[in-house]
Amino acid sequence: MGKPALRFAGMFHELGPVGLGLVQESIFDNVSAEEMPDVDEVVRYLKAGYVLIDMMDLADDPFDSARQVMNGSTIRTDGDWLWRDDLAYYVRRHRVTLPEEFLALIRERRYSVPHRDEELLRERSLVAEELMF
């Protein structure tokens, strides 16, 4: 059985360019009118992902020019999806939505990031490097 294809979340064009020919949507087109009922659990899952690229940086909050967000370029994964560290902030503070397939998987897993072996994480980190550098 092969490894599942890696999917991406939260790579919005307002947060900076990425590689791999990934089409970047606008963060402003991905905002819900209402907060998710399980936002705390979803945010906890996002923060629990494995760190593939760890960078200390600040990024401007596109919704609030007076705020900056730390660690925007840090990249996390659960082995199946890859996302920016600041996605948790945007989900909580600005009700930014996740792709439906990703949100369904998070809920199916009962908000717990699965154990991943070192080989898979090493492979995913190579993809993350191509995406970010």
Side-chain angles (χ1 to χ4, degrees), residues 20-35:
L20 299 175
L22 191 68
V23 175
Q24 292 180 268
E25 298 179 344
S26 173
I27 196 169
F28 299 110
D29 293 336
N30 289 276
V31 176
S32 176
E34 297 181 13
E35 185 173 271

Side-chain angles (χ1 to χ4, degrees), residues 36-113:
M36 288 183 284
D38 55 350
V39 68
D40 291 335
E41 292 86 356
V42 170
V43 165
R44 195 167 28 257
Y45 184 96
L46 294 172
K47 290 181 175 183
Y50 294 93
V51 174
L52 299 179
I53 296 175
D54 193 9
M55 295 180 65
M56 176 82 66
D57 67 349
L58 288 173
D60 292 332
D61 181 335
F63 294 95
D64 182 352
S65 62
R67 294 185 77 87
Q68 289 190 310
V69 183
M70 187 175 288
N71 292 338
S73 298
T74 293
I75 302 298
R76 294 183 177 270
T77 191
D78 59 6
D80 300 308
W81 286 81
L82 186 144
W83 62 92
R84 293 169 50 103
D85 189 58
D86 57 359
L87 183 57
Y89 165 84
Y90 291 112
V91 167
R92 159 130 8 252
R93 184 164 182 88
H94 299 296
R95 298 182 319 275
V96 168
T97 59
L98 299 178
E100 285 301 318
E101 301 89 356
F102 187 26
L103 187 56
L105 183 64
I106 291 170
R107 290 172 173 158
E108 179 182 308
R109 290 178 171 160
R110 297 180 186 208
Y111 314 100
S112 181
V113 174

